[in-house]
Amino acid sequence: SELNTLATALGWKYFGSATDNPELTDTAYVAILSDNGMFGQITPGNSMKWDATEPERGTFTFSGGDAIASLAEGNGQLLRGHNCVWYNQLPSWVSSGGFDAATLTSIIQTHCSTVVGHYKGQIYSWDVVNEPFNDDGTWRTDVFFNTLGEDYVGIALEAASGADPAAKLYINEYNIESAGAKQTALLNLVQSLQSAGTPLDGIGFQCHFIVGEVPTDLQASLEKFTALGLEVAITELDIRMTLPSTDALLAQQKTDYESVIAACRAVSGCVGTTIWDYTDKYSWVPSTFSGQGAACPWDENLVTKPAFDGIVSAL
Ligand code: XIL
């Protein structure tokens, strides 16, 4: 059972995985990642972010991102760009601020148009703006919002659109998978961008979940955005647990993966799912959430877990 083969047979554009440059020296890992029956799409976990691509103002470095892009091309896989504008993993020359509105506008335009332009023709979809909201639905008070207010979102989207008109332009966010203030804030932003004629094609649902806590209204949440004429995708799926893993937790995790895939499958505008790396060996979870892990469908030895079978059953 190969995930991308099953997914594309259902009409999805891809089933994919995130990856990161340091992992590409692991030949057993790369062999599974590069099987385009298993994964028809990859996302760079870090190497297209601002700190990696423009570490100093006007100095662009694409070696890490290019390595992922050539891997995708060689494998015949789609590529998601991640990301142009985000409050995190910013070089200090940006995050320290001190720019007036016109200067920061120009900095965002140069960054987005240069990075998106560099990968023109190679990207299925770009996370142009990542994580703009706090969990209570207020705007994150990062350098972008503090200087430009919400206008920074349209500035980034317009610049990306000009640089690669064929790429699908996304806003990517977490904790929007269930009804609530943050989801409402994003729905309102979409409508205001659409009223202004700003280019926007899709919404990424990150879906960093906890075992036993997958929202029951995930499908309904996806449909609120497709009802506005957008496509949606699950962009960073993983489902973590408090360690150690047990048979019971792994069984619940299987059910949880199955529910997420079934929700995307049930929504005609849900174009695909990306897991935030396929193996526990390289998951970001243990280093970010203390005491938690085992979030991926393959274990640390690159062996499939019950979660993998859950995905297969839902496809
Ligand atoms: C994570 C990477 O996986 C880690 O390697 C890095 O140390 C921190 O960022 N939401 C996002 C991703 O949009 O960019 C994050 O990726 C995970 C949370």
Side-chain angles (χ1 to χ4, degrees):
S1 307
E2 294 230 294
L3 303 182
N4 187 60
T5 302
L6 293 168
T8 52
L10 293 173
W12 287 19
K13 294 194 188 298
Y14 58 82
F15 191 99
S17 176
T19 188
D20 202 1
N21 299 73
E23 304 158 23
L24 302 181
T25 57
D26 180 339
T27 52
Y29 167 84
V30 173
I32 296 172
L33 181 74
S34 295
D35 170 5
N36 68 13
M38 192 63 83
F39 300 115
Q41 176 271 326
I42 57 179
T43 306
N46 286 300
S47 52
M48 291 186 191
K49 291 172 178 173
W50 200 316
D51 59 356
T53 53
E54 195 185 6
E56 294 169 65
R57 187 171 175 184
T59 301
F60 288 88
T61 52
F62 292 115
S63 52
D66 288 357
I68 308 280
S70 19
L71 183 67
E73 188 184 15
N75 294 339
Q77 294 165 321
L78 299 174
L79 185 60
R80 297 196 76 257
H82 178 82
N83 55 60
C84 297
V85 175
W86 186 29
Y87 77 94
N88 208 351
Q89 291 179 272
L90 278 176
S92 57
W93 73 266
V94 180
S95 56
S96 56
F99 305 110
D100 62 25
T103 304
L104 189 59
T105 298
S106 163
I107 285 169
I108 293 170
Q109 287 169 333
T110 299
H111 182 74
C112 292
S113 62
T114 304
V115 175
V116 174
H118 180 80
Y119 294 105
K120 182 181 181 181
Q122 300 179 68
I123 301 272
Y124 170 68
S125 56
W126 259 108
D127 293 329
V128 178
V129 174
N130 197 34
E131 302 180 350
F133 293 112
N134 295 313
D135 283 346
D136 67 0
T138 58
W139 285 87
R140 260 185 213 280
T141 50
D142 56 20
V143 62
F144 306 112
F145 184 80
N146 286 341
T147 311
L148 296 164
E150 60 187 87
D151 290 355
Y152 84 84
V153 175
I155 292 165
L157 286 164
E158 295 280 6
S161 173
D164 187 354
K168 304 274 190 192
L169 306 182
Y170 277 57
I171 298 171
N172 192 49
E173 186 56 281
Y174 69 97
N175 287 352
I176 53 158
E177 296 89 352
S178 195
K182 193 173 190 178
Q183 184 188 87
T184 301
L186 184 54
L187 285 163
N188 290 337
L189 172 61
V190 167
Q191 287 172 297
S192 113
L193 291 167
Q194 289 178 331
S195 303
T198 305
L200 176 68
D201 301 293
I203 298 295
F205 280 57
Q206 291 187 8
C207 296
H208 293 293
F209 291 139
I210 295 170
V211 164
E213 298 181 23
V214 171
T216 52
D217 61 341
L218 177 57
Q219 180 188 333
S221 298
L222 293 165
E223 285 168 341
K224 289 179 198 170
F225 290 90
T226 59
L228 297 176
L230 298 178
E231 62 177 57
V232 292
I234 291 169
T235 52
E236 304 186 12
L237 176 62
D238 52 27
I239 310 182
R240 63 189 184 265
M241 61 183 72
T242 298
L243 298 172
S245 75
T246 62
D247 287 350
L249 285 165
L250 292 170
Q252 181 62 48
Q253 186 182 49
K254 173 185 179 181
T255 301
D256 292 340
Y257 267 95
E258 193 170 351
S259 308
V260 175
I261 300 306
C264 182
R265 182 179 171 166
V267 177
S268 60
C270 190
V271 300
T273 292
T274 306
I275 48 181
W276 204 243
D277 224 318
Y278 73 85
T279 165
D280 294 333
K281 187 171 185 181
Y282 298 119
S283 172
W284 74 304
V285 167
S287 59
T288 307
F289 303 95
S290 178
Q292 299 180 65
C296 301
W298 276 255
D299 71 14
E300 294 189 355
N301 299 313
L302 309 182
V303 176
T304 59
K305 294 155 63 176
F308 174 86
D309 304 312
I311 297 172
V312 170
S313 344
L315 294 171

